[in-house]
Structure formats: C-alpha cells, structure tokens
Amino acid sequence: MKRSAAARSLLPACVCLAVALACPARAAEPAPKYAGRTLEEALKGLGEGGLKLVYSSALVRPEMKVAAEPAGPTPVEALQELLAPHGLRARSGPGGAVLIVRIPRGEKPASPIGAVSFVSVVSDKVPDVSSLEAWKKSFLKPGMSDQEKALAVWRSVVAFQHQDSPPNEFLHEGESVRDTIKIFNVYGYSMCDAASANMECLARAAGLEARGRIVAHHSVPEVKWDGAWRLLDGSLIAYYPKADGSLAGVDEIIAGVSGWLDAHPEMRGSDEKLGAFMRGEGWKKGPEILTRTKFYDGNGWLPAATHGWYSTMQEFDCKPDQVYEYGYTEGYRVNIQLRQGERLTRNWSNQRLHVNMKGGGGAPGCLKMEVGKESLRYAPDFGDLAPGRVGNGLLEYHVPLANGAFRNAAVLVVNLAARAEDGKDPAIHAIDDAKDGVLELRMPSSYVYLTGTMQFEAAIGPDGGSVAAYFSDNHGLDWERIGESDKPGERKIDLSSLVLRKYDYRIRFVFKGRGTGLEALSFRHDIQHSQRALPALGEGKNTITFAAGPAESTLTLEGSLNPANKGKQLTYADFHPSLRGIDAQAGGLWVKEAAGGSVTFPVETPYEMTRLRFGSHYRVRDARDVLEYQVSFDDGQTWTTVETCKGPTPGHCAYRTFSGMPAGTRKALVRYAGVSRNTTGIMQFRIDADYKEVRGGFAPVKVSYYWEENGQEKKDEHVATRQNETYTIDCPARPVMKSIVLERAD
C-alpha cells in the first residue's frame, strides 16, 4: 500500500484535545466524589471548580440523585455524564456560560460509556472457546489425569476444527492461519498441519508435552503422558489403542504398518488394493496396531469419510523419528466491543463469502455443507448444533455524531463540537473556524473483515472548505488518503481491498473551513466467523449466560515475515521495527552472527497499557544459540528479559505475558534479541498490547436470538442491565438457528 511521507503527519506538533465547552481544569487536585449526592450538590461542586453553570430548579429537581461516579477526565465530560441519566445535557451559552437544557423528546442521549468490552453470550449447549483461558475452563476439570487432559485437547480440536482447505491470512507459516483460538472462532476449519499445531498449543496450555510428527502426506501430533508419546490425530479423527489399553505412538504405528506391508508387498502404495481389502471389516485383518480403534466404520472409513484405513496404511509407511514443530501463534481472543450505534450480527449461514475469495486460495468445501452430511457427518457426535460450519455476519456502526456520543468512542477529537453541545450545524463541526477539526476512529473486530464500506454526508461551509478521509491499518503509523470532498453531499467509499483479511484499522477525518463537518457517518462490513463456536440453542431449556468484561482493548502487531506477501497482508516492516545484525529472508528474521542481533518493535497504546502478551515460533539450532524476549519502557535505556529460549531445537513456540510496566505507561519497546553459532531467529511472531479504555464501562446490551422450530420463526430479545446475568430460553422443538445480534440498548 502506497503511503506518502507527507500523509504520515496530519496534525501540528502540539495539539490539545478540544472539548466543546471551554473550562478551567484542576488536574493537580483530587476529583470530588459525587456518587450518592443529589444532582444539585454535584453541580454546585462543579461550579466551585470553575464552571459557570446556568439552570432552573424546574430541570434540576431535589429528588435527582447521582447513581455512579463520573469517569470523564475533564469537568465538562464529568458534567455530561452527571446530566445524561436525567435526560439533560450541557451546551454553550453567552459569555462563557454553560447552559443545562433538556434533551429533546425522541432524541437518544449521548452515553458516557464509550465501549462495552468483552461482551459475551454463552449457551449451556456450546463450550466457550473465546480465549485460551475460556477454553481451559470449558475442557479441563479438576482432578483430571494427564490422559484425560490430552483427550480433552483432542476432542476440542475435533469439535472446532474441520479438515478442509485452509483459511489463508498470509501471516503464518505456509500462509494459513496458525492461531488455535482464532481458528476455533473465526473459521472452524483448516488442514492437518494446523490441527497438529493446535494440539501442540492446547496440550502445552494444559501442562503436557507435545510435538509434531511428519508422516507420508500427513501431519500429526503426539502428546506425552505416563512417560510415552501417544498419537492423537485431531484432523482425521483417530487414535489407536494397544493391547494393554494404552494409546500407541507414531513410531509404534509406523513399525506395525510397515511390518505388515513388508509381508504383503503387493498392497504397498495401492489405493485400489488397500481400499478393496478394508471393506466388509477386512481392515481388522490388517496390522494388529490398527485393529482396536473405534474410528473406522465397517468398511474402513474414518469419521469424516474423506480418509480411511487405506490412507492410514500409506501415511504410516514411512521413516520413523521425523519430529517437527508445527509453529503457531497465541494471543487472539474474542473481544466484542460495542459502542453506541454499533451492532454485530452473526449468522448460522453464509453468503458464500470467505477469506480466500480474492486471490487467497480455494474455497473450503464446508462452505456449502450441512452439519451431519458429507464430510461433516461426524460433527453432531461431537456436539455440533449448527446447521453449517462457515458463517458470514455483519459489523455495522452508525456513528452518533449529533448527540456527541462519538467523542467517548474516538481515538482522537480535535477542535470539534456536536450539534447537541452548541446548537450549531452540521452534526459535528469545528469550534474554532481558523483551525482544522480532526476526528479519528478505530474499527477493531473480533472476526476477520471480508468487505467494507464507509458512507458519510459532508457539509461544506459558506466560504468553502474540504473534508478529507485517511486510512491506516498499522495503528496510525502511516496514513493513506482515501477520499476528499469540497462539495456537500453523501459519499460512499469501498474499503474492501484495504481491510480484507484484517481485524483492525483507523479512519481519520480532517475538516477545513468555517461550517465544514459531517452530518452522518456509518460503516458496514461483511465478516467471517465459525458457526460452530456460536452460542446455539438446543431442544428444551437453554441457559444463557451474559457477561461483559473489563474496559480494555488490544493493539496487535503481527505481520508476515515473507516480503512477497506485501499487498496481501501487513508485513513485519509495516510496524516500523529497528533491525540490528538481522538477515531478513523469506520465512524468518535470522541473527547473522555470534556477535548478536535484534529486532525491536515500538508499541504505543491510546491509553494506559496494562500488559504485553507476546512471543514467537523460533529456532535456536545449536546448544549455544540463544533468543531472548525483552521489554523496555524508557526508550531502550534499560531492558527486562521476559523469556530466554535456549537451544538446541530446530523449532519451538513460546508466548509470555508481562504486566510489570510502570503505571501510566503508553509506550514500550519489544525486542527479540539473540546470538547465533548455528541458526537463531523467529519464523512468526505476535505482540498484543492490552490497554485501558478510559471511557469504557458497562451499559445495557440487547441480545436478540432468531431461529425456527418446525418451520415457524422464533425470536427472543433480552436486555442485559447488569454486567453478569443469566436467563433461559425454552425451545419445545429442535431449533434451527438463524442469527444472534448484539447491540447497545442505551
């Protein structure tokens, strides 16, 4: 994507975040406490702090109480929060006065809450796999043996990842997605190498050793318990008990299969002969090591019926001892954030849209499949209540401009006022006509973007002016101008080519000229999600658990290490790293020599950083090779080592969390530093910087379920008024799920 150097700096070197009503601030003094007091007492306190308030006793009545402490960092923002629950708001008056007026009937008041974060709706019929922590709670139970933990890992991979053409985001090894929780929630399908990586990731999260194995034309994982390695194939859905009831490992299966084929050389490598042999339970006359499994049917087919005994006989007729790390990333988690005017629709259906549709590879076969049929015939046995596997949904955001609610959800607001704040047109406009107005919005999504449009109505002042729109997909490090208008009216911009395969971007508007601004602004995106992970209903009583989590958001730094993917996806270079002694080749960042080398990524969050979660798929081939994960919060003057990765290993994955940054931190450096006698480097990486949403909190959320029973449309609407609550939905007949919609109810 071409970005001009001039477009990178769109603001003066020093700007102040403008508020609609100017007032003195007393930042050095502790904020007064208003909760529990009358509204009039709170207003008097603000008046003593410097606000010149004008209101009548008919509007501000004695019985009005302050229910919650305002979170706004300035007196004016605190004032608006105090007034909104009572149907009141503040606007500019003559002589610097602040007028308290009634919100007009029918107009939705601006919410003081910018975003409600980690909005979660969980059905008792579907395990919660929205994060690695949620997965642990769903699948790992106290007192489990290591074998029980390993089988729980295997069942979750079988349930949430179907074997199919993989989704390609061009971020990870082989271009396909290698983040377990992302696969479970966004896609629900991939290939055997990803399934092996998922098994490795989850087994290690459960405290078990795991590794990948290369066999012929297939990738499989092994998990270690009771002192031995055991095969648990999560993609083709199989494992193989031995005579003593314990599960066989890959080398034992190879020995059994190869030995049998040595005795029956006419069968070796022949689909036709092996396929004929396995029918009518003939497979039970094959290698003894395969005869006790419950996963072949009478004719030797595995549960999905894409593979069978005949393919097992060829896959395990190979060399033993081929160990391989199927690299993965960790860090993705579902964080549904809802701002006023934002709505997320997830469907148990699709419009044939998928992440590979624009030069990204083939469509998955399950795009058109029904659960219980074809290669998804096994899915109901593993708890799948969805009608299909691939889901398409909508993320819509009608930005509330006129009432000023946009301010609490924006990354940056400079020199802008809303109609509700000063009574002037258009809906948002500059306060000082001599200066530019700036609005910057972030558009994060828990589900991958497939398409996108932005629509706005520009207003141009009587003396002329312009509205310019800029786009950034690397957290504001670079900007590209995507539209400019010097005429009033509606404008629609197609964002699809900019956002495909991505989860986050920013839009910045710059307004020039008196009376210039926006009358309306909206965004609409098609997204992809897995139907399997959605909170489906079952026949009978369904218990639904609603929750909203802490007011936090995340910035993610993750880019391809293959320069050839530029244009299809962000690369590591888009995050402006500094490289020292590093050889950047396709597929990795490698330390050049024993003297050492490093790659350092700058990280900056909009508000206070709470933790860094980061790691890599790395190689330290020699016993003397070392790779360290390090962080700095003083611009590189001092460094803290978070993890030391020692050789020898041709590949391993490690992800760590660091939360010991100084209070108030917004900037950090994350460094991968190593020394190399043989080979040291990283093959994929991910950095997640979690931060506080200072204007975040809880606001009521409406949850709408849509389904059918016996061909009749059904609907359930529930408004969650508490951060954690439980309710029930009864389905007398088996439901066919249609949609679940989440939106703010304030």
Side-chain angles (χ1 to χ4, degrees):
M1 182 182 298
K2 186 177 179 181
R3 298 178 173 92
S4 68
R8 294 180 183 176
S9 180
L10 301 177
L11 298 174
C14 295
V15 295
C16 294
L17 183 63
V19 295
L21 308 169
C23 62
R26 297 186 176 183
E29 299 178 7
K33 302 298 183 184
Y34 299 118
R37 299 167 65 180
T38 67
L39 178 60
E40 187 171 14
E41 288 173 337
L43 296 180
K44 286 180 180 179
L46 285 173
E48 292 169 359
L51 286 182
K52 186 179 176 182
L53 300 176
V54 178
Y55 57 90
S56 74
S57 58
L59 288 179
V60 180
R61 301 187 301 277
E63 67 271 17
M64 292 180 173
K65 300 284 187 180
V66 178
E69 197 67 29
T74 69
V76 168
E77 289 171 304
L79 173 63
Q80 298 286 25
E81 289 184 47
L82 291 169
L83 296 175
H86 305 286
L88 306 174
R89 68 180 176 213
R91 57 189 296 179
S92 297
V98 178
L99 307 180
I100 295 177
V101 299
R102 195 185 309 278
I103 296 173
R105 187 181 300 276
E107 181 180 313
K108 181 176 285 190
S111 171
I113 303 300
V116 181
S117 299
F118 291 101
V119 176
S120 169
V121 178
V122 177
S123 160
D124 63 345
K125 303 298 188 294
V126 181
D128 182 5
V129 292
S130 59
S131 68
L132 196 55
E133 293 73 23
W135 170 82
K136 289 179 182 179
K137 291 180 181 178
S138 294
F139 281 91
L140 303 182
K141 307 303 178 186
M144 273 185 164
S145 68
D146 285 350
Q147 176 171 312
E148 288 170 331
K149 291 178 183 177
L151 290 173
V153 169
W154 175 82
R155 281 193 299 273
S156 58
V157 172
V158 172
F160 288 93
Q161 182 191 306
H162 173 65
Q163 174 85 352
D164 212 323
S165 298
N168 295 323
E169 290 184 358
F170 298 94
L171 281 171
H172 304 144
E173 183 180 358
E175 320 303 2
S176 63
V177 176
R178 289 291 187 86
D179 186 303
T180 304
I181 302 301
K182 181 188 286 187
I183 288 176
F184 283 8
N185 289 277
V186 180
Y187 297 107
Y189 61 91
S190 195
M191 286 294 282
C192 53
D193 55 345
S196 298
N198 294 344
M199 287 289 300
E200 291 178 272
C201 172
L202 296 181
R204 290 166 184 168
L208 304 172
E209 290 184 69
R211 66 185 186 183
R213 296 296 304 269
I214 299 173
V215 296
H217 311 295
H218 189 31
S219 302
V220 295
E222 285 184 310
V223 181
K224 191 175 187 179
W225 71 86
D226 294 339
W229 290 102
R230 326 280 184 168
L231 167 72
L232 292 172
D233 190 340
S235 61
L236 300 187
I237 315 176
Y239 53 76
Y240 300 93
K242 297 187 292 185
D244 63 1
S246 64
L247 301 190
V250 169
D251 289 338
E252 293 171 301
I253 299 170
I254 289 174
V257 168
S258 297
W260 191 89
L261 288 171
D262 287 343
H264 302 80
E266 74 281 1
M267 293 285 188
R268 179 165 269 139
S270 174
D271 275 359
E272 182 180 357
K273 291 180 180 179
L274 290 167
F277 184 90
M278 75 180 188
R279 297 187 183 98
E281 297 194 342
W283 62 271
K284 292 184 178 180
K285 301 174 185 177
E288 184 268 345
I289 195 73
L290 303 182
T291 59
R292 299 176 192 87
T293 187
K294 62 183 179 181
F295 298 107
Y296 295 130
D297 68 11
N299 288 317
W301 291 102
L302 286 166
T306 58
H307 296 69
W309 181 88
Y310 77 97
S311 56
T312 308
M313 292 295 293
Q314 297 175 78
E315 290 157 0
F316 289 89
D317 184 22
C318 64
K319 295 188 301 181
D321 304 321
Q322 297 184 90
V323 177
Y324 184 78
E325 176 78 359
Y326 292 102
Y328 56 85
T329 60
E330 283 182 22
Y332 170 89
R333 56 187 182 179
V334 178
N335 180 4
I336 295 173
Q337 296 181 287
L338 295 175
R339 297 167 285 193
Q340 207 169 23
E342 196 162 20
R343 177 169 57 194
L344 174 64
T345 301
R346 293 171 292 173
N347 298 311
W348 278 273
S349 62
N350 65 67
Q351 302 172 54
R352 304 297 189 259
L353 303 177
H354 58 94
V355 74
N356 290 358
M357 63 186 181
K358 298 287 186 180
C366 60
L367 187 69
K368 301 178 181 180
M369 283 183 195
E370 294 181 35
V371 166
K373 298 180 180 180
E374 299 179 79
S375 64
L376 278 169
R377 66 181 193 170
Y378 68 91
D381 293 336
F382 288 85
D384 195 348
L385 299 177
R389 181 54 59 113
V390 180
N392 290 152
L394 282 176
L395 180 62
E396 302 167 281
Y397 185 27
H398 296 272
V399 185
L401 301 177
N403 67 359
F406 73 92
R407 189 184 304 284
N408 291 326
V411 176
L412 185 67
V413 180
V414 177
N415 189 39
L416 289 177
R419 181 182 291 125
E421 296 166 343
D422 64 4
K424 298 179 181 178
D425 291 328
I428 61 169
H429 49 272
I431 299 170
D432 185 340
D433 295 338
K435 299 178 181 178
D436 291 349
V438 178
L439 171 64
E440 184 179 318
L441 296 170
R442 183 177 170 223
M443 290 295 295
S445 171
S446 288
Y447 302 101
V448 68
Y449 286 129
L450 301 179
T451 70
T453 56
M454 178 178 71
Q455 191 164 345
F456 62 91
E457 183 179 348
I460 306 298
D463 303 324
S466 66
V467 176
Y470 298 82
F471 174 91
S472 174
D473 55 9
N474 62 353
H475 310 312
L477 292 173
D478 301 299
W479 294 90
E480 177 186 6
R481 189 165 65 183
I482 57 173
E484 185 169 8
S485 179
D486 59 2
K487 293 180 174 57
E490 291 189 356
R491 178 87 182 271
K492 180 184 269 189
I493 296 178
D494 188 351
L495 302 175
S496 299
S497 63
L498 299 172
V499 302
L500 176 63
R501 306 186 190 99
K502 296 175 184 155
Y503 294 78
D504 193 4
Y505 69 92
R506 297 188 191 188
I507 290 290
R508 179 179 285 177
F509 284 95
V510 178
F511 308 101
K512 296 180 180 292
R514 180 169 67 92
T516 296
L518 292 180
E519 188 59 49
L521 173 62
S522 63
F523 299 84
R524 186 184 187 278
H525 292 280
D526 289 298
I527 57 172
Q528 182 171 344
H529 61 77
S530 171
Q531 295 184 37
R532 178 63 179 92
L534 297 183
L537 307 176
E539 185 174 351
K541 180 180 178 181
N542 297 273
T543 300
I544 308 300
T545 301
F546 170 89
E552 285 192 352
S553 193
T554 302
L555 293 187
T556 298
L557 282 69
E558 186 176 24
S560 173
L561 300 185
N562 184 354
N565 287 335
K566 185 71 175 177
K568 295 180 180 178
Q569 184 55 271
L570 293 170
T571 72
Y572 76 95
D574 287 311
F575 296 103
H576 297 196
S578 60
L579 276 60
R580 180 184 64 83
I582 293 291
D583 186 10
Q585 299 180 10
L589 298 174
W590 307 103
V591 178
K592 289 182 179 179
E593 54 192 26
S598 63
V599 54
T600 304
F601 290 94
V603 183
E604 182 174 0
T605 53
Y607 302 109
E608 182 179 356
M609 197 180 297
T610 55
R611 70 191 66 83
L612 286 165
R613 299 177 285 119
F614 66 105
S616 70
H617 175 205
Y618 64 88
R619 176 172 295 160
V620 281
R621 191 181 293 277
D622 192 275
R624 298 167 296 170
D625 291 342
V626 176
L627 179 71
E628 293 185 327
Y629 300 172
Q630 301 175 330
V631 294
S632 174
F633 304 102
D634 55 11
D635 200 27
Q637 296 181 54
T638 60
W639 293 90
T640 298
T641 298
V642 178
E643 175 70 11
T644 300
C645 308
K646 297 180 180 180
T649 177
H652 200 70
C653 298
Y655 293 85
R656 299 294 181 260
T657 298
F658 183 85
S659 56
M661 59 276 295
T665 294
R666 290 184 52 231
K667 293 184 179 182
L669 297 175
V670 174
R671 183 166 75 178
Y672 299 89
V675 294
S676 178
R677 269 78 176 184
N678 186 308
T679 310
T680 298
I682 59 175
M683 294 169 278
Q684 52 197 30
F685 76 99
R686 180 174 171 124
I687 302 168
D688 291 291
D690 301 328
Y691 66 90
K692 295 180 180 178
E693 286 278 11
V694 296
R695 293 179 178 84
F698 180 72
V701 173
K702 185 168 77 169
V703 181
S704 301
Y705 268 99
Y706 300 86
W707 72 97
E708 288 183 0
E709 291 179 27
N710 296 323
Q712 298 296 310
E713 293 183 355
K714 301 288 183 178
K715 178 181 178 181
D716 180 90
E717 288 186 351
H718 176 84
V719 175
T721 57
R722 292 170 295 168
Q723 197 164 353
N724 295 277
E725 60 184 63
T726 301
Y727 63 102
T728 61
I729 299 176
D730 291 322
C731 298
R734 181 181 177 274
V736 178
M737 303 307 301
K738 296 299 182 182
S739 302
I740 180 171
V741 181
L742 302 176
E743 57 194 318
R744 291 272 289 271
D746 52 342

